Amino acid sequence: MCGRYGLSLGAADLARVYRAIGEDIDGWTPRYSIAPSTMVPVLRARPDQDADSPAGVRVLEPAKWGFKPSWAKEKGPRPINARLETVATNGMFRNAMKSQRCITPMTGYYEWTEQGSKKVPHWIHADGRLLNAASVAAATRTDDGWLVTVAIVTTTSTDSAGEVHDRMPVFLGEDSLDEWLAPGKLDETSVQGLVSLAADDAARIARGLGTYRVDPRVNNVRRIDPSDPDLIAPVEDLFGT
């Protein structure tokens, strides 16, 4: 799974890298510990009204991490991850996979191993490069307008990431973004093609990921400053042993 991640780019840099319009994310600044229920920037595509482009227009907008389709009960589950193996068939995510795909930008994510009774945090990353985490979104009408929620798609971990945890986010290459984000509703054949594309990209990008241990203070999400870049600094001697 992916239960915490970091993003070292602010709103302006994200818009530049993705060649996207930023909507309501002007206050976004780099954060090195992002937990579920946080409002985060996601990349989506909307139909281009002024040009006949199947890729649409890229838009960065805020979304709450924790998926809630419009039909979900108020006290129902808010999954933060969706499995690539079942995202096209699971009733929670099936419609979103057909028509509400997005990207959750990150520069790395955390996973934990156990050392005796202690949880050891690891930072899994691509040497500071931006990672495009395949995601699915849902929109729910609220008293204040529309709330977009998101789940990050995961797959079986391989290579260095697989030594830390058995699941990892599905990362897409830049050349796959337009196909993943394409606006409009896909048929079953196209959805299965996207699942295969995502699986291939995830396996390829996993080979370039690295991992190292970080300070255990990151374990307590309530007591850390998420804007502190030292959260992802490598630490060798974790427990003074």
Short mmCIF file of all heavy atoms in Angstrom, two decimals, residues 4 32 109-113 119-125 211-219 229-239:
data_model
loop_
_atom_site.label_atom_id
_atom_site.label_comp_id
_atom_site.label_asym_id
_atom_site.label_seq_id
_atom_site.Cartn_x
_atom_site.Cartn_y
_atom_site.Cartn_z
N ARG A 4 1.63 7.10 3.04
CA ARG A 4 2.24 8.40 3.32
C ARG A 4 3.22 8.70 2.19
O ARG A 4 3.96 7.81 1.76
CB ARG A 4 2.99 8.38 4.65
CG ARG A 4 3.37 9.76 5.18
CD ARG A 4 2.46 10.19 6.31
NE ARG A 4 2.60 9.28 7.44
CZ ARG A 4 3.54 9.39 8.38
NH1 ARG A 4 4.43 10.36 8.32
NH2 ARG A 4 3.58 8.54 9.38
N TYR A 32 6.78 17.12 2.94
CA TYR A 32 7.58 15.90 2.95
C TYR A 32 6.93 14.79 3.77
O TYR A 32 7.51 13.72 3.91
CB TYR A 32 8.98 16.23 3.48
CG TYR A 32 9.66 17.27 2.62
CD1 TYR A 32 9.51 18.63 2.89
CD2 TYR A 32 10.40 16.89 1.51
CE1 TYR A 32 10.10 19.59 2.08
CE2 TYR A 32 10.99 17.85 0.69
CZ TYR A 32 10.84 19.18 0.99
OH TYR A 32 11.41 20.13 0.17
N TYR A 109 7.76 8.10 -1.35
CA TYR A 109 6.75 7.66 -0.39
C TYR A 109 7.42 6.87 0.71
O TYR A 109 8.58 6.44 0.58
CB TYR A 109 5.64 6.85 -1.07
CG TYR A 109 6.07 5.52 -1.64
CD1 TYR A 109 5.81 4.33 -0.97
CD2 TYR A 109 6.74 5.44 -2.86
CE1 TYR A 109 6.20 3.10 -1.49
CE2 TYR A 109 7.12 4.23 -3.39
CZ TYR A 109 6.86 3.06 -2.70
OH TYR A 109 7.25 1.84 -3.22
N TYR A 110 6.70 6.68 1.81
CA TYR A 110 7.24 5.98 2.98
C TYR A 110 6.64 4.57 3.09
O TYR A 110 5.46 4.36 2.81
CB TYR A 110 6.90 6.73 4.27
CG TYR A 110 7.49 8.11 4.39
CD1 TYR A 110 6.79 9.24 3.99
CD2 TYR A 110 8.77 8.29 4.93
CE1 TYR A 110 7.32 10.51 4.12
CE2 TYR A 110 9.31 9.56 5.06
CZ TYR A 110 8.58 10.66 4.65
OH TYR A 110 9.12 11.93 4.78
N GLU A 111 7.48 3.66 3.53
CA GLU A 111 7.01 2.35 3.99
C GLU A 111 7.82 1.98 5.22
O GLU A 111 8.90 2.53 5.45
CB GLU A 111 7.15 1.28 2.91
CG GLU A 111 6.18 1.41 1.74
CD GLU A 111 4.72 1.20 2.12
OE1 GLU A 111 4.44 0.91 3.31
OE2 GLU A 111 3.86 1.35 1.25
N TRP A 112 7.31 1.02 5.97
CA TRP A 112 7.92 0.66 7.24
C TRP A 112 8.26 -0.83 7.30
O TRP A 112 7.53 -1.67 6.77
CB TRP A 112 6.97 0.99 8.40
CG TRP A 112 6.92 2.45 8.72
CD1 TRP A 112 7.56 3.08 9.74
CD2 TRP A 112 6.18 3.47 8.03
NE1 TRP A 112 7.29 4.43 9.73
CE2 TRP A 112 6.44 4.70 8.70
CE3 TRP A 112 5.34 3.47 6.92
CZ2 TRP A 112 5.88 5.90 8.28
CZ3 TRP A 112 4.78 4.67 6.49
CH2 TRP A 112 5.06 5.87 7.18
N THR A 113 9.38 -1.12 7.94
CA THR A 113 9.72 -2.49 8.32
C THR A 113 9.81 -2.54 9.84
O THR A 113 9.75 -1.50 10.51
CB THR A 113 11.05 -2.93 7.69
OG1 THR A 113 12.09 -2.03 8.09
CG2 THR A 113 10.96 -2.96 6.17
N LYS A 119 9.21 0.28 14.61
CA LYS A 119 8.90 0.43 13.20
C LYS A 119 9.95 1.32 12.55
O LYS A 119 10.16 2.45 12.98
CB LYS A 119 7.51 1.03 13.02
CG LYS A 119 6.39 0.07 13.41
CD LYS A 119 5.03 0.66 13.06
CE LYS A 119 3.92 -0.33 13.36
NZ LYS A 119 2.59 0.22 13.00
N VAL A 120 10.58 0.81 11.52
CA VAL A 120 11.66 1.52 10.84
C VAL A 120 11.11 2.14 9.56
O VAL A 120 10.68 1.42 8.65
CB VAL A 120 12.82 0.57 10.50
CG1 VAL A 120 13.93 1.32 9.78
CG2 VAL A 120 13.35 -0.09 11.78
N PRO A 121 11.11 3.48 9.43
CA PRO A 121 10.60 4.12 8.22
C PRO A 121 11.65 4.15 7.11
O PRO A 121 12.85 4.35 7.36
CB PRO A 121 10.27 5.53 8.70
CG PRO A 121 11.25 5.79 9.81
CD PRO A 121 11.50 4.46 10.47
N HIS A 122 11.20 3.95 5.88
CA HIS A 122 12.05 4.00 4.70
C HIS A 122 11.46 4.99 3.70
O HIS A 122 10.24 5.07 3.54
CB HIS A 122 12.13 2.62 4.03
CG HIS A 122 12.67 1.54 4.90
ND1 HIS A 122 13.94 1.01 4.75
CD2 HIS A 122 12.12 0.87 5.94
CE1 HIS A 122 14.13 0.06 5.65
NE2 HIS A 122 13.04 -0.03 6.40
N TRP A 123 12.33 5.74 3.06
CA TRP A 123 11.93 6.68 2.01
C TRP A 123 12.26 6.04 0.67
O TRP A 123 13.41 5.73 0.39
CB TRP A 123 12.66 8.00 2.18
CG TRP A 123 12.44 9.04 1.13
CD1 TRP A 123 13.37 9.53 0.26
CD2 TRP A 123 11.24 9.77 0.87
NE1 TRP A 123 12.82 10.50 -0.54
CE2 TRP A 123 11.52 10.67 -0.17
CE3 TRP A 123 9.95 9.74 1.42
CZ2 TRP A 123 10.55 11.54 -0.69
CZ3 TRP A 123 8.99 10.61 0.90
CH2 TRP A 123 9.29 11.50 -0.13
N ILE A 124 11.24 5.83 -0.16
CA ILE A 124 11.41 5.20 -1.47
C ILE A 124 11.23 6.29 -2.52
O ILE A 124 10.20 6.98 -2.54
CB ILE A 124 10.40 4.06 -1.64
CG1 ILE A 124 10.57 3.03 -0.51
CG2 ILE A 124 10.58 3.37 -2.99
CD1 ILE A 124 9.51 1.96 -0.47
N HIS A 125 12.19 6.43 -3.40
CA HIS A 125 12.27 7.65 -4.21
C HIS A 125 12.98 7.38 -5.53
O HIS A 125 13.46 6.28 -5.79
CB HIS A 125 13.04 8.71 -3.43
CG HIS A 125 14.45 8.28 -3.14
ND1 HIS A 125 15.53 8.72 -3.86
CD2 HIS A 125 14.95 7.38 -2.23
CE1 HIS A 125 16.64 8.14 -3.40
NE2 HIS A 125 16.30 7.33 -2.41
N THR A 211 15.93 3.27 -2.07
CA THR A 211 15.33 3.37 -0.75
C THR A 211 16.40 3.53 0.31
O THR A 211 17.50 2.99 0.16
CB THR A 211 14.45 2.13 -0.44
OG1 THR A 211 13.93 2.24 0.88
CG2 THR A 211 15.24 0.85 -0.56
N TYR A 212 16.11 4.30 1.33
CA TYR A 212 17.00 4.39 2.48
C TYR A 212 16.15 4.67 3.72
O TYR A 212 14.99 5.07 3.63
CB TYR A 212 18.07 5.47 2.29
CG TYR A 212 17.58 6.87 1.98
CD1 TYR A 212 17.01 7.68 2.96
CD2 TYR A 212 17.72 7.40 0.69
CE1 TYR A 212 16.58 8.96 2.68
CE2 TYR A 212 17.30 8.68 0.40
CZ TYR A 212 16.73 9.46 1.40
OH TYR A 212 16.30 10.73 1.11
N ARG A 213 16.74 4.44 4.88
CA ARG A 213 16.03 4.65 6.13
C ARG A 213 16.07 6.13 6.52
O ARG A 213 17.02 6.84 6.22
CB ARG A 213 16.66 3.80 7.24
CG ARG A 213 16.58 2.31 6.95
CD ARG A 213 17.19 1.49 8.06
NE ARG A 213 18.61 1.79 8.24
CZ ARG A 213 19.38 1.25 9.16
NH1 ARG A 213 18.87 0.38 10.03
NH2 ARG A 213 20.64 1.56 9.25
N VAL A 214 15.00 6.56 7.20
CA VAL A 214 14.91 7.94 7.68
C VAL A 214 14.61 7.93 9.17
O VAL A 214 14.33 6.88 9.76
CB VAL A 214 13.84 8.74 6.91
CG1 VAL A 214 14.23 8.89 5.45
CG2 VAL A 214 12.46 8.07 7.03
N ASP A 215 14.67 9.10 9.76
CA ASP A 215 14.50 9.22 11.21
C ASP A 215 13.12 8.75 11.65
O ASP A 215 12.11 9.11 11.04
CB ASP A 215 14.70 10.68 11.62
CG ASP A 215 14.91 10.83 13.11
OD1 ASP A 215 13.95 10.55 13.87
OD2 ASP A 215 16.00 11.24 13.53
N PRO A 216 13.03 7.97 12.74
CA PRO A 216 11.73 7.47 13.21
C PRO A 216 10.75 8.55 13.65
O PRO A 216 9.57 8.24 13.86
CB PRO A 216 12.11 6.57 14.39
CG PRO A 216 13.53 6.19 14.16
CD PRO A 216 14.15 7.37 13.47
N ARG A 217 11.20 9.77 13.80
CA ARG A 217 10.25 10.81 14.19
C ARG A 217 9.14 10.99 13.15
O ARG A 217 8.06 11.49 13.47
CB ARG A 217 10.96 12.14 14.44
CG ARG A 217 11.58 12.79 13.22
CD ARG A 217 12.49 13.93 13.65
NE ARG A 217 13.18 14.54 12.53
CZ ARG A 217 12.77 15.63 11.91
NH1 ARG A 217 11.67 16.25 12.31
NH2 ARG A 217 13.46 16.14 10.90
N VAL A 218 9.40 10.56 11.91
CA VAL A 218 8.38 10.66 10.88
C VAL A 218 7.20 9.73 11.17
O VAL A 218 6.11 9.90 10.62
CB VAL A 218 8.97 10.35 9.48
CG1 VAL A 218 9.13 8.85 9.28
CG2 VAL A 218 8.10 10.94 8.37
N ASN A 219 7.40 8.77 12.07
CA ASN A 219 6.33 7.83 12.40
C ASN A 219 5.12 8.52 13.02
O ASN A 219 3.99 8.05 12.86
CB ASN A 219 6.84 6.76 13.38
CG ASN A 219 7.88 5.85 12.76
OD1 ASN A 219 8.19 5.96 11.58
ND2 ASN A 219 8.43 4.95 13.56
N PRO A 229 12.22 19.47 5.24
CA PRO A 229 12.89 18.56 4.31
C PRO A 229 13.78 17.54 5.01
O PRO A 229 14.14 16.51 4.41
CB PRO A 229 13.71 19.49 3.41
CG PRO A 229 13.90 20.74 4.22
CD PRO A 229 12.67 20.87 5.06
N ASP A 230 14.14 17.79 6.28
CA ASP A 230 14.97 16.82 7.00
C ASP A 230 14.22 15.51 7.26
O ASP A 230 14.84 14.51 7.64
CB ASP A 230 15.44 17.40 8.33
CG ASP A 230 16.54 18.45 8.13
OD1 ASP A 230 17.15 18.47 7.04
OD2 ASP A 230 16.76 19.24 9.06
N LEU A 231 12.91 15.51 7.07
CA LEU A 231 12.15 14.27 7.26
C LEU A 231 12.61 13.18 6.30
O LEU A 231 12.50 11.99 6.61
CB LEU A 231 10.65 14.53 7.07
CG LEU A 231 9.96 15.41 8.11
CD1 LEU A 231 8.52 15.68 7.69
CD2 LEU A 231 10.00 14.75 9.48
N ILE A 232 13.11 13.57 5.13
CA ILE A 232 13.54 12.57 4.15
C ILE A 232 15.06 12.44 4.10
O ILE A 232 15.60 11.83 3.16
CB ILE A 232 12.98 12.86 2.75
CG1 ILE A 232 13.49 14.20 2.21
CG2 ILE A 232 11.45 12.84 2.78
CD1 ILE A 232 13.16 14.42 0.74
N ALA A 233 15.76 13.01 5.08
CA ALA A 233 17.22 12.87 5.14
C ALA A 233 17.57 11.43 5.54
O ALA A 233 16.95 10.87 6.45
CB ALA A 233 17.82 13.85 6.13
N PRO A 234 18.56 10.82 4.89
CA PRO A 234 18.94 9.45 5.25
C PRO A 234 19.55 9.38 6.64
O PRO A 234 20.27 10.28 7.06
CB PRO A 234 19.95 9.07 4.17
CG PRO A 234 20.47 10.35 3.64
CD PRO A 234 19.35 11.34 3.76
N VAL A 235 19.23 8.33 7.36
CA VAL A 235 19.75 8.09 8.71
C VAL A 235 20.26 6.67 8.76
O VAL A 235 19.55 5.73 8.40
CB VAL A 235 18.65 8.31 9.78
CG1 VAL A 235 19.17 7.93 11.15
CG2 VAL A 235 18.17 9.75 9.78
N GLU A 236 21.48 6.52 9.23
CA GLU A 236 22.07 5.18 9.32
C GLU A 236 21.82 4.54 10.67
O GLU A 236 21.36 3.41 10.79
CB GLU A 236 23.57 5.24 9.03
CG GLU A 236 23.89 5.64 7.59
CD GLU A 236 23.34 4.65 6.58
OE1 GLU A 236 23.29 3.45 6.88
OE2 GLU A 236 22.93 5.09 5.49
N ASP A 237 22.12 5.30 11.75
CA ASP A 237 22.05 4.74 13.10
C ASP A 237 20.70 5.13 13.70
O ASP A 237 20.57 6.17 14.36
CB ASP A 237 23.19 5.28 13.95
CG ASP A 237 23.27 4.60 15.31
OD1 ASP A 237 22.57 3.59 15.51
OD2 ASP A 237 24.04 5.08 16.16
N LEU A 238 19.68 4.33 13.46
CA LEU A 238 18.32 4.72 13.81
C LEU A 238 18.05 4.74 15.31
O LEU A 238 17.41 5.64 15.82
CB LEU A 238 17.32 3.75 13.15
CG LEU A 238 17.12 3.92 11.65
CD1 LEU A 238 16.26 2.80 11.13
CD2 LEU A 238 16.45 5.26 11.35
N PHE A 239 18.53 3.75 16.02
CA PHE A 239 18.14 3.61 17.42
C PHE A 239 19.35 3.62 18.35
O PHE A 239 19.28 3.14 19.48
CB PHE A 239 17.36 2.29 17.61
CG PHE A 239 16.13 2.24 16.74
CD1 PHE A 239 16.05 1.37 15.68
CD2 PHE A 239 15.05 3.07 17.01
CE1 PHE A 239 14.92 1.31 14.89
CE2 PHE A 239 13.92 3.02 16.22
CZ PHE A 239 13.86 2.14 15.15
#
